[in-house]
Amino acid sequence: MNLLFVGDVVGKAGCDFLRDNIYQIKKEYDIDFTVINGENSAQGNGLTPRSFDELIRIGADVVTTGNHSFKRRESVSIYDEQEILLRPANYPEGVAGHGVAVIDLCTVKIAVVNLMGTVYLDSIENPFFYIDRILETLDTPNIIVDFHAEATSEKKAMGHYLAGRCTAVLGTHTHVQTADEAILGGHTAYITDVGMTGPEMSVLGVDTRIAIDKMKYHFPVMFRESESPCFINAVAVSFDENLGKATKIQRIIKR
Protein backbone atom coordinates (compact mmCIF):
# COMPACT_ATOMS: atom_id res chain seq x y z
CA MET A 1 0.00 0.00 0.00
CA ASN A 2 1.00 3.61 -0.43
CA LEU A 3 0.48 6.35 2.15
CA LEU A 4 0.42 10.07 1.40
CA PHE A 5 1.22 12.28 4.38
CA VAL A 6 0.82 16.03 3.79
CA GLY A 7 2.75 18.50 5.95
CA ASP A 8 1.07 21.25 7.98
CA VAL A 9 -1.49 22.98 5.74
CA VAL A 10 -1.47 26.76 6.25
CA GLY A 11 -4.68 28.74 5.80
CA LYS A 12 -7.12 28.99 2.93
CA ALA A 13 -4.36 29.43 0.37
CA GLY A 14 -2.75 26.17 1.45
CA CYS A 15 -6.09 24.34 1.38
CA ASP A 16 -6.92 25.72 -2.08
CA PHE A 17 -3.54 24.78 -3.54
CA LEU A 18 -3.71 21.30 -2.04
CA ARG A 19 -7.22 20.79 -3.43
CA ASP A 20 -6.04 21.78 -6.91
CA ASN A 21 -3.06 19.42 -6.89
CA ILE A 22 -3.75 16.44 -4.65
CA TYR A 23 -5.46 14.33 -7.32
CA GLN A 24 -2.39 14.44 -9.54
CA ILE A 25 -0.12 13.58 -6.60
CA LYS A 26 -2.31 10.63 -5.61
CA LYS A 27 -2.32 9.40 -9.16
CA GLU A 28 1.45 9.76 -9.59
CA TYR A 29 2.27 7.90 -6.38
CA ASP A 30 -0.63 5.43 -6.56
CA ILE A 31 -1.90 6.51 -3.13
CA ASP A 32 -4.26 4.31 -1.09
CA PHE A 33 -4.49 6.27 2.18
CA THR A 34 -4.03 9.95 3.03
CA VAL A 35 -3.19 11.74 6.27
CA ILE A 36 -3.10 15.54 6.43
CA ASN A 37 -1.85 17.69 9.30
CA GLY A 38 -4.44 20.45 9.59
CA GLU A 39 -3.58 22.33 12.76
CA ASN A 40 -2.97 25.57 10.82
CA SER A 41 -5.63 25.09 8.16
CA ALA A 42 -7.93 27.88 9.38
CA GLN A 43 -7.31 31.51 8.51
CA GLY A 44 -5.25 33.00 11.33
CA ASN A 45 -4.03 29.68 12.75
CA GLY A 46 -5.68 26.65 14.31
CA LEU A 47 -8.44 24.47 12.89
CA THR A 48 -12.16 25.18 12.56
CA PRO A 49 -15.11 22.97 11.63
CA ARG A 50 -15.03 24.63 8.21
CA SER A 51 -11.33 23.99 7.57
CA PHE A 52 -11.67 20.40 8.83
CA ASP A 53 -14.55 19.79 6.40
CA GLU A 54 -12.45 21.26 3.60
CA LEU A 55 -9.56 18.85 4.33
CA ILE A 56 -11.98 15.91 4.23
CA ARG A 57 -13.39 17.12 0.91
CA ILE A 58 -9.84 17.47 -0.39
CA GLY A 59 -9.26 13.80 0.37
CA ALA A 60 -7.96 13.27 3.89
CA ASP A 61 -8.74 9.91 5.48
CA VAL A 62 -7.40 11.20 8.82
CA VAL A 63 -6.58 14.74 9.95
CA THR A 64 -3.88 15.24 12.61
CA THR A 65 -3.03 18.38 14.56
CA GLY A 66 -0.57 19.54 17.24
CA ASN A 67 0.05 22.36 19.68
CA HIS A 68 -2.53 24.59 17.93
CA SER A 69 -5.28 21.96 18.23
CA PHE A 70 -7.46 24.13 20.44
CA LYS A 71 -6.39 27.55 19.21
CA ARG A 72 -9.93 28.13 17.95
CA ARG A 73 -12.54 27.61 20.65
CA GLU A 74 -15.27 26.87 18.09
CA SER A 75 -13.42 23.68 17.14
CA VAL A 76 -13.26 22.03 20.57
CA SER A 77 -16.50 20.08 20.24
CA ILE A 78 -15.61 18.48 16.91
CA TYR A 79 -12.63 16.69 18.47
CA ASP A 80 -15.15 14.55 20.36
CA GLU A 81 -17.53 14.26 17.41
CA GLN A 82 -15.10 13.26 14.66
CA GLU A 83 -13.26 9.93 14.95
CA ILE A 84 -10.89 10.83 12.13
CA LEU A 85 -9.82 14.17 13.67
CA LEU A 86 -6.92 13.72 16.08
CA ARG A 87 -5.19 15.85 18.68
CA PRO A 88 -1.96 14.74 20.40
CA ALA A 89 -2.69 11.56 22.34
CA ASN A 90 -0.44 12.57 25.24
CA TYR A 91 -2.57 15.55 26.27
CA PRO A 92 -3.76 15.06 29.89
CA GLU A 93 -6.84 13.01 30.65
CA GLY A 94 -9.99 15.10 30.40
CA VAL A 95 -8.94 17.06 27.32
CA ALA A 96 -11.47 16.91 24.48
CA GLY A 97 -10.89 14.45 21.69
CA HIS A 98 -8.56 11.52 21.15
CA GLY A 99 -5.15 10.85 19.67
CA VAL A 100 -5.58 7.52 17.90
CA ALA A 101 -7.73 6.46 14.95
CA VAL A 102 -7.93 2.92 13.61
CA ILE A 103 -9.33 2.89 10.10
CA ASP A 104 -10.83 -0.40 8.91
CA LEU A 105 -10.48 -0.72 5.14
CA CYS A 106 -12.08 -4.20 5.20
CA THR A 107 -8.97 -6.01 3.99
CA VAL A 108 -6.58 -4.11 6.25
CA LYS A 109 -6.56 -1.84 9.30
CA ILE A 110 -4.40 1.26 9.57
CA ALA A 111 -3.78 2.99 12.90
CA VAL A 112 -2.84 6.67 12.95
CA VAL A 113 -1.33 8.05 16.16
CA ASN A 114 -0.88 11.76 16.87
CA LEU A 115 1.84 12.53 19.45
CA MET A 116 3.44 15.79 20.61
CA GLY A 117 6.94 16.37 21.88
CA THR A 118 7.70 18.17 25.12
CA VAL A 119 11.06 19.82 24.36
CA TYR A 120 10.36 23.58 23.92
CA LEU A 121 6.61 22.85 23.83
CA ASP A 122 3.92 22.44 26.48
CA SER A 123 4.81 20.17 29.37
CA ILE A 124 2.31 17.39 28.72
CA GLU A 125 2.67 13.65 29.29
CA ASN A 126 5.94 12.01 28.25
CA PRO A 127 5.43 10.84 24.64
CA PHE A 128 7.86 7.91 24.98
CA PHE A 129 5.97 6.28 27.84
CA TYR A 130 2.64 7.17 26.24
CA ILE A 131 3.35 5.57 22.88
CA ASP A 132 4.36 2.35 24.65
CA ARG A 133 0.92 2.19 26.23
CA ILE A 134 -0.80 2.94 22.92
CA LEU A 135 1.07 0.23 21.03
CA GLU A 136 -0.12 -2.38 23.52
CA THR A 137 -3.74 -1.62 22.53
CA LEU A 138 -3.44 -1.75 18.73
CA ASP A 139 -4.41 -4.86 16.78
CA THR A 140 -2.76 -3.93 13.48
CA PRO A 141 0.89 -3.80 12.41
CA ASN A 142 0.17 -0.78 10.20
CA ILE A 143 0.90 2.13 12.52
CA ILE A 144 1.51 5.69 11.30
CA VAL A 145 2.79 8.20 13.86
CA ASP A 146 2.59 11.97 13.38
CA PHE A 147 5.16 13.23 15.89
CA HIS A 148 4.52 16.95 16.29
CA ALA A 149 7.66 18.31 17.94
CA GLU A 150 10.01 21.28 17.99
CA ALA A 151 13.40 19.70 18.68
CA THR A 152 15.03 17.68 15.92
CA SER A 153 16.81 15.64 18.58
CA GLU A 154 13.51 14.59 20.15
CA LYS A 155 12.15 13.60 16.75
CA LYS A 156 15.26 11.59 15.91
CA ALA A 157 15.11 9.87 19.27
CA MET A 158 11.45 8.94 18.77
CA GLY A 159 12.16 7.59 15.30
CA HIS A 160 14.86 5.27 16.60
CA TYR A 161 12.77 4.39 19.66
CA LEU A 162 9.93 3.16 17.44
CA ALA A 163 12.11 1.57 14.75
CA GLY A 164 10.73 -1.88 14.02
CA ARG A 165 7.53 -1.21 15.98
CA CYS A 166 5.72 1.26 13.70
CA THR A 167 5.30 1.59 9.97
CA ALA A 168 6.21 5.28 9.88
CA VAL A 169 7.27 8.07 12.24
CA LEU A 170 6.76 11.39 10.45
CA GLY A 171 7.71 14.69 12.03
CA THR A 172 5.59 17.83 11.81
CA HIS A 173 5.44 21.32 13.39
CA THR A 174 8.55 23.15 12.19
CA HIS A 175 7.23 23.70 8.63
CA VAL A 176 10.61 23.13 6.98
CA GLN A 177 11.02 19.88 5.07
CA THR A 178 14.16 17.99 6.08
CA ALA A 179 16.31 15.86 3.76
CA ASP A 180 16.86 12.90 6.11
CA GLU A 181 14.18 10.46 4.98
CA ALA A 182 15.18 6.88 5.80
CA ILE A 183 13.94 3.40 6.61
CA LEU A 184 15.01 2.78 10.20
CA GLY A 185 15.82 -0.76 11.27
CA GLY A 186 14.78 -1.99 7.85
CA HIS A 187 11.17 -1.44 8.89
CA THR A 188 10.10 2.11 9.85
CA ALA A 189 9.85 5.06 7.45
CA TYR A 190 11.16 8.23 9.07
CA ILE A 191 11.62 11.93 8.34
CA THR A 192 12.37 14.65 10.88
CA ASP A 193 9.88 17.08 9.31
CA VAL A 194 7.51 16.62 6.40
CA GLY A 195 7.33 20.40 5.90
CA MET A 196 4.35 22.64 5.18
CA THR A 197 1.72 23.25 2.52
CA GLY A 198 1.12 26.94 1.92
CA PRO A 199 2.91 30.14 0.84
CA GLU A 200 6.50 29.23 -0.05
CA MET A 201 8.14 32.67 0.11
CA SER A 202 7.26 33.22 3.75
CA VAL A 203 8.43 32.54 7.28
CA LEU A 204 6.58 29.31 8.06
CA GLY A 205 3.61 30.67 6.10
CA VAL A 206 3.65 34.14 7.68
CA ASP A 207 4.27 37.33 5.66
CA THR A 208 8.03 37.81 5.73
CA ARG A 209 8.03 41.50 6.71
CA ILE A 210 5.78 40.87 9.70
CA ALA A 211 7.87 37.92 10.88
CA ILE A 212 11.11 39.90 10.50
CA ASP A 213 9.70 42.86 12.44
CA LYS A 214 8.64 40.52 15.26
CA MET A 215 12.13 39.08 15.58
CA LYS A 216 13.95 42.36 14.97
CA TYR A 217 12.02 44.62 17.34
CA HIS A 218 10.55 42.10 19.84
CA PHE A 219 7.27 43.97 19.62
CA PRO A 220 3.78 42.41 19.39
CA VAL A 221 2.53 42.07 15.83
CA MET A 222 -0.53 40.65 14.12
CA PHE A 223 0.61 37.70 12.00
CA ARG A 224 -0.76 37.59 8.47
CA GLU A 225 -0.31 34.83 5.94
CA SER A 226 2.02 35.53 3.04
CA GLU A 227 0.39 36.12 -0.34
CA SER A 228 3.23 34.43 -2.23
CA PRO A 229 2.58 31.37 -4.42
CA CYS A 230 2.05 28.12 -2.55
CA PHE A 231 3.80 24.78 -2.60
CA ILE A 232 3.07 21.35 -1.15
CA ASN A 233 5.42 19.42 1.12
CA ALA A 234 4.52 15.78 1.67
CA VAL A 235 5.92 12.26 1.75
CA ALA A 236 4.81 9.05 0.09
CA VAL A 237 5.44 5.87 2.06
CA SER A 238 5.15 2.39 0.52
CA PHE A 239 4.56 -0.42 3.00
CA ASP A 240 3.69 -4.09 3.24
CA GLU A 241 0.25 -4.03 4.85
CA ASN A 242 0.58 -7.64 6.06
CA LEU A 243 3.70 -6.87 8.09
CA GLY A 244 3.36 -3.13 8.69
CA LYS A 245 6.83 -2.80 7.19
CA ALA A 246 7.80 0.28 5.19
CA THR A 247 9.80 -0.38 2.04
CA LYS A 248 10.18 3.14 0.62
CA ILE A 249 9.79 6.80 1.61
CA GLN A 250 9.87 9.64 -0.91
CA ARG A 251 9.83 13.37 -0.24
CA ILE A 252 7.37 15.36 -2.35
CA ILE A 253 7.63 19.04 -3.25
CA LYS A 254 4.92 20.32 -5.59
CA ARG A 255 4.95 23.92 -6.82
Side-chain angles (χ1 to χ4, degrees):
M1 293 189 70
N2 295 312
L3 162 76
L4 175 67
F5 188 104
V6 180
D8 303 43
V9 179
V10 178
K12 183 179 185 299
C15 287
D16 290 347
F17 191 73
L18 182 60
R19 183 191 61 238
D20 292 343
N21 290 276
I22 194 169
Y23 174 76
Q24 185 59 42
I25 292 173
K26 286 186 174 184
K27 182 178 179 181
E28 180 178 350
Y29 292 91
D30 195 21
I31 297 301
D32 302 294
F33 191 79
T34 301
V35 179
I36 300 176
N37 186 290
E39 72 147 6
N40 293 294
S41 57
Q43 287 296 97
N45 215 322
L47 174 143
T48 62
R50 181 174 180 176
S51 69
F52 169 73
D53 288 343
E54 176 66 11
L55 294 177
I56 298 304
R57 285 194 295 269
I58 285 171
D61 294 294
V62 175
V63 175
T64 56
T65 57
N67 59 305
H68 294 310
S69 298
F70 304 112
K71 184 85 170 183
R72 308 293 283 269
R73 301 306 298 175
E74 66 266 38
S75 71
V76 173
S77 63
I78 66 172
Y79 282 93
D80 284 327
E81 296 166 0
Q82 300 289 344
E83 293 185 3
I84 57 174
L85 173 61
L86 304 182
R87 48 78 170 162
N90 52 322
Y91 267 126
E93 185 177 348
V95 173
H98 47 279
V100 181
V102 179
I103 309 302
D104 190 341
L105 302 178
C106 295
T107 58
V108 64
K109 289 182 180 179
I110 299 177
V112 180
V113 181
N114 201 171
L115 277 182
M116 190 161 78
T118 57
V119 178
Y120 308 128
L121 287 174
D122 293 339
S123 182
I124 57 177
E125 294 197 42
N126 186 300
F128 292 87
F129 287 115
Y130 209 91
I131 190 63
D132 284 340
R133 297 201 295 271
I134 290 173
L135 293 182
E136 291 176 356
T137 69
L138 298 177
D139 62 351
T140 175
N142 304 304
I143 303 168
I144 312 300
V145 178
D146 175 345
F147 190 40
H148 199 82
E150 183 79 37
T152 55
S153 57
E154 189 177 22
K155 293 180 182 181
K156 284 282 190 180
M158 183 62 76
H160 287 288
Y161 186 67
L162 294 178
R165 296 197 285 161
C166 292
T167 307
V169 178
L170 308 172
T172 59
H173 176 65
T174 54
H175 288 210
V176 178
Q177 189 180 79
T178 55
D180 62 340
E181 70 276 18
I183 304 294
L184 302 180
H187 187 103
T188 301
Y190 172 84
I191 189 169
T192 297
D193 204 280
V194 177
M196 62 164 271
T197 295
E200 181 174 6
M201 294 296 110
S202 66
V203 178
L204 312 186
V206 175
D207 180 274
T208 55
R209 174 48 54 190
I210 295 173
I212 290 169
D213 285 348
K214 170 66 174 176
M215 297 176 186
K216 184 176 180 180
Y217 299 112
H218 300 276
F219 194 81
V221 298
M222 179 69 73
F223 280 160
R224 183 178 68 247
E225 290 166 20
S226 170
E227 295 181 359
S228 72
C230 291
F231 70 161
I232 294 168
N233 287 173
V235 293
V237 176
S238 300
F239 62 97
D240 182 332
E241 66 271 24
N242 296 311
L243 301 174
K245 178 181 179 180
T247 55
K248 187 176 184 180
I249 177 170
Q250 302 174 78
R251 283 185 292 125
I252 298 170
I253 301 177
K254 173 70 174 179
R255 292 180 171 89

